[in-house]
Amino acid sequence: MRKILLFLAASLVSTTVMSQSENFDQTAVGALPAGWISGVTGFGSPQWAVTVDPTAPSKPNVLKQSGSGTYPWAVKKDVSLGDGFVETKFKAISGKEDQAGGIVWRFQNGRTYYVARANANEDNVSLYYTTLGIRSTIKYVNAPVPLNVWHTLRAEFQGKRIRILLNGKLYIEAEDEHIKEAGAVGVWTKADSVTAFDDFSYGPPVK
């Protein structure tokens, strides 16, 4: 019995940290991908759904946010990742107030998580932590983020060390310990940003 329990525990650990990817092509148009939940930090009515996009890096489908809210998010709820990476391709399509695409990790709930975002409206990349529903800036730097162009945003995190890359270039290196617990991973937008996401992936630290 003890050997069986140890085997199951080891299997669970390997499942938790194994690299995974999702291109949303197996999800019915109009639905959320299986295992994902969506919501908003603050107020609003975000609208997350898979849709067809002929420009998608992995055709035909993308995950798109087309509503509005303070900080809309969509996460894979059953993931528990403490150290590792999260990466996605995103395209900021439109938005009068903002034009942002982001990724979240160590997501505890809709009020506590880390987020990195790239903003086509401001041409910058930013790193934040959100606790008790309040977003606080760790660092931001200027970076080109053309509208209606696909970009790759990546966060690497281990302990208190965090690295943020856009299109393969390192823009932010920082240390922060506000959220230490493992948590879910996902994607994020701001305000009225209409943003599409594709080729979402996550996994353990890259050796």
Side-chain angles (χ1 to χ4, degrees):
M1 176 62 75
R2 184 171 180 272
K3 289 183 178 180
I4 293 174
L5 291 175
L6 288 173
F7 173 79
L8 290 174
S11 298
L12 180 59
V13 169
S14 63
T15 299
T16 301
V17 301
M18 185 183 301
S19 294
Q20 302 282 343
S21 62
E22 189 159 358
N23 60 19
F24 311 114
D25 293 337
Q26 307 306 313
T27 301
V29 171
L32 269 179
W36 287 67
I37 57 173
S38 64
V40 60
T41 304
F43 303 95
S45 301
Q47 298 176 21
W48 290 94
V50 168
T51 186
V52 174
D53 185 334
T55 74
S58 297
K59 293 180 177 58
N61 291 354
V62 299
L63 177 61
K64 184 178 180 181
Q65 200 294 119
S66 56
S68 64
T70 311
Y71 304 119
W73 49 261
V75 301
K76 286 183 69 72
K77 63 179 180 177
D78 295 329
V79 174
S80 181
L81 187 64
D83 294 333
F85 76 91
V86 179
E87 180 177 297
T88 193
K89 293 183 174 67
F90 79 94
K91 179 179 67 171
I93 300 171
S94 65
K96 292 183 179 179
E97 182 177 345
D98 220 325
Q99 300 162 354
I103 46 179
V104 300
W105 65 96
R106 293 184 187 167
F107 182 98
Q108 310 299 306
N109 51 54
R111 293 166 55 84
T112 302
Y113 52 85
Y114 281 109
V115 57
R117 74 104 172 93
N119 195 319
N121 190 42
E122 301 173 3
D123 273 332
N124 60 25
V125 175
S126 303
L127 171 63
Y128 308 95
Y129 67 89
T130 299
T131 53
L132 300 177
I134 299 172
R135 190 188 68 165
S136 300
T137 302
I138 298 173
K139 190 174 183 178
Y140 71 89
V141 297
N142 293 331
V145 191
L147 192 67
N148 279 302
V149 172
W150 285 98
H151 304 279
T152 301
L153 183 62
R154 179 182 177 93
E156 299 173 352
F157 42 95
Q158 190 161 14
K160 63 182 180 181
R161 298 189 302 275
I162 303 172
R163 289 161 42 96
I164 307 301
L165 300 90
L166 178 68
N167 297 326
K169 181 178 178 179
L170 178 64
Y171 279 94
I172 294 176
E173 282 190 284
E175 294 188 350
D176 189 82
E177 297 183 288
H178 281 90
I179 306 170
K180 300 179 181 179
E181 299 81 10
V185 295
V187 294
W188 178 100
T189 68
K190 180 184 175 185
D192 63 344
S193 302
V194 176
T195 308
F197 298 88
D198 200 6
D199 294 342
F200 178 81
S201 62
Y202 61 93
V206 176
K207 302 297 184 182

